[in-house]
Amino acid sequence: MAGADGLDFSTLDKLLDQALECDEEQLATLLEGLPEAQRSALVRLLGATDSNVLEKISKAARSSPAVKAAGPIPSQEKSRRAGSWRLCREIGHGGTAQVFFAERVDESHDKRTNFKQRAAVKILWSHRIGSQFSDRFFRERRILASIDHPGLARFLDGGLLGDNRPWFAMEYIAGEDIVTACRGRPIEDRLRLLCDVCQTIDYAHRRLIVHRDIKPGNVLVDSTGRPRVLDFGIARILDDAEESALTHADGVPLTLRYASPEQVAGRTVDVASDIYQLGVLAYEMLTGFPPYEISESSLQESVRVITEKVPPAASAYDSRIQRDVDAIVAQALAKDPSDRYPSAAAFAEDIRLFLDDRPVAARPRTIMYVARRFVRRRALTISIVAASVLGLTAATVFSLDRAREAKEAAARSRTTLEILADVFEQADPFGDAGAEVTLAEALIRARPAIAEKTAHAPKLAIEVNQTLADIFLSLDMLDYEVEAHEAAWAAAAQLGSGFERQLIASIAAIGNTKTRLDPREAALFLQKHLPESPPTKDAARDWLSGKYAEAHAWLRLRDDHRTDAIAGRMHEVAVKYEVDDPRTLGRISQLLAGTARRANNLPAADRHWQEAVEYMSQAGQPAGHAVILSNQALHYGSTERYKKSEEAFRKSIAVFREHDPENTTFADILRLYAGLQFRMGDPAAALGTLSESLAILDRERDHYSYFVAQNKVAEYAFASGAFDAAFDAIDDGLDLAFEAFGSEDEVTARMIRLLARLLAFAGAEESSVRALGMHDVLCEQATVRANAIYSVLSRNKSTDDQWRQTSEALTRARTDVALDRRAFDALIDRYRSINGTVLDPLDRLTLIEDLHQLALRHAYELPAELASARLRLLGQRAGTAEKVAGRWNARISYLLDSLDSHGAGQTCAGS
């Protein structure tokens, strides 16, 4: 059957089969001898070089009615446009579309605002219009417009050409495909690139978008070294009901070489398919070869290979590839989707674990495997020392004694690793009735054996116990960490003269850990055992570490005098010994800033804080840098320089977002920043920041941080009149508090007071005092009952001079029978000065009601804005009362019953 332009699809099908068997020279000869229409059509079909697509196109050519075949846009038509984009040159074409490099130039009358923008413009072949490909094209445009990630090519524009062909413009990425970019790179660098790609794909998956065509041509490495994922042209929305009609159409484009088993078998395609394609991409990035040889001539054979054949391990191509990497790639390439990684994020996490020399999820976590990974992490010590020994052998600037010491250190490091490996090997993995022994249990059991092996070798004992302390620290087993440091300290004491540095290092390490366990015990220990000054320059840094721990402990105990004395002494020692470690100097500057602040020397405090920030930025520890910035922000906030505080907080947050976005310390800093936003009069922004903080925290693990964040959500939501959000936070927070802290703990009491305030505002006086366990308040006469309740709930007046003065002035005014107008106006001014987010609705309503009663008693007129605020607050009170009696009622009753069950007060007679 021939089309309107004379194309015979039967002939075209035969030409296609012939072209597939040609080499490049034969293909050129074949194309040269064809008429223009056939040549153009065949070139377009050959653009889809994957055999699966070609076979489907061939099938369509045999069975479809005549469809108008479109010629490509001639490259010489430089003036041809797509919307405001000028098409400059073709840069690619495939089975569904042509892609052009394009420019958009804005040439306004004001040359200062002129700009030029580059893009890749994709234009659908016109013979696809009206088919499922057109639907898919518009879907792609909607999807691309909805996503924004630095690892994705950004969607810029889209529309229809004059001949009704759809087009869209994407960010133009100048780069090379990721497999090409990996050539010659170390394995670790390739894995880091892959990790970035996985995180980008995970971003799309979390928005219910599946790519379905992940391949090197769709992942380019740009000029900055960042991998960028292109072409979501066959992506699907997981919950889109229209998908079924498209997925089962014969014309679904895919790249056979990277297709998943479920894709070629025609089964459901979801996130797992992308994980598989990431596995194929990983294999090719690491080895330079595909995992399978795909037959270009037999679709049936290709499907069999993809669904049944297990590829050789990646290490078969490159011996540098380790078994862990083989296991990671194999899990991604599993034939059964349920055996693959559950998400691209989990794939990325296993890569990170490998890069950090930690056990990966793709391998069974046996005792020996975990031990080997630990030994590998410590192997750096050996390599560094060994390198030093080699350098000493070749050089003449060091004495033979120094060379001998270095060799002995290398031998001790090797022995340390051998001892630890032996410990794990000898540990009984099924010692407790078949239960698997954890890493922590194995270490605890091994301590006597380790002590025995190192009893007569103090230098080795120091090395081994310092290593053990590092492990216990990573496991958050602080008591055992202290024991290991104490063993190292005892060994250093045996060595005597010449080992003062090791002695001080152990004392400082013990003090640092004890500070986390018991600040007073830590302070007294360090005060007793650290010498007044470091005995040598080599010992200065460890001595300063110990003194910082002591200062930190006294600071937590609120002993400013001792803290300031230690800060001054640390500064003297750092100058004397010319200490240049940025982290140490940053700590000293932070302590000196506190000293200056307490002495009311604000310029000096500002200077020291800036020094601390600069030092920590040089220390190569992003989390430490971010924490110092947040402390600087708190300093500015405490002196009411809110703009400076906000700037420092934003810098701190930016560092965490880039380097450690899941850190619980980051969550705490977000909570502190929310406090600043609230104080600056933006409760909505504060609540948004708190939501981000809560999203980082694990409710079951980070009890205290999660509770405090929820407490702040309740406080800020209540203050801004978002009563539903306030109650939800109170409800969740109290549930957690009852479980984690108990109903009588001071932490829990914070949330109980908020619940009582909310109930008092709603007029639920009995429930309010029941929450507080002060039922005797209900025995008061009704006329004074509300004031009695409010008195119980009132904030700590000693912490807020303005609040205290306003409250005292109102109390005096109630007893003044001849309150003059000037005094009344002064009270109004006092209220205005503390209004805003400083007051919550209960404070506000109580004060305005006092002013209203005074105005009525003395025949004064309440200002219009206060009268309006009173009516609004009374309306809010009525609405909240309805919620207390309605949808909140059951939960409030449950919370109050929980408090009563713990004996939180008794009801007096007659209540």
Side-chain angles (χ1 to χ4, degrees), residues 783-804:
T783 53
V784 297
R785 185 168 60 194
N787 282 336
I789 294 169
Y790 182 66
S791 177
V792 171
L793 291 171
S794 184
R795 69 181 69 200
N796 182 357
K797 299 180 179 63
S798 65
T799 63
D800 191 329
D801 286 342
Q802 283 186 306
W803 170 264
R804 178 178 54 78

Side-chain angles (χ1 to χ4, degrees), residues 349-361:
E349 177 60 20
D350 236 12
I351 296 168
R352 280 193 293 266
L353 289 171
F354 169 77
L355 292 172
D356 290 341
D357 278 327
R358 298 187 181 279
V360 300

Side-chain angles (χ1 to χ4, degrees), residues 377-498:
R377 291 201 299 278
R378 293 292 296 176
L380 179 62
T381 305
I382 293 178
S383 64
I384 291 172
V385 175
S388 300
V389 173
L390 290 173
L392 288 168
T393 303
T396 57
V397 293
F398 290 101
S399 67
L400 290 176
D401 287 341
R402 294 291 294 277
R404 191 180 307 112
E405 289 172 9
K407 290 178 181 177
E408 289 174 1
R412 283 196 301 276
S413 293
R414 292 190 187 93
T415 305
T416 296
L417 300 180
E418 288 167 6
I419 288 173
L420 291 174
D422 185 56
V423 163
F424 288 115
E425 191 170 0
Q426 295 302 319
D428 177 10
F430 301 102
D432 294 328
E436 186 175 345
V437 177
T438 66
L439 175 59
E441 290 167 344
L443 285 169
I444 292 168
R445 291 182 185 184
R447 287 180 303 148
I450 291 172
E452 184 179 347
K453 287 177 181 289
T454 60
H456 304 294
K459 292 180 183 178
L460 180 61
I462 293 172
E463 174 90 17
V464 171
N465 281 290
Q466 285 176 343
T467 302
L468 279 176
D470 289 344
I471 303 172
F472 285 128
L473 172 62
S474 69
L475 296 172
D476 202 30
M477 299 171 66
L478 302 186
D479 288 326
Y480 289 106
E481 183 195 348
V482 169
E483 283 187 20
H485 283 309
E486 286 174 340
W489 180 30
Q494 289 180 42
L495 292 168
S497 178

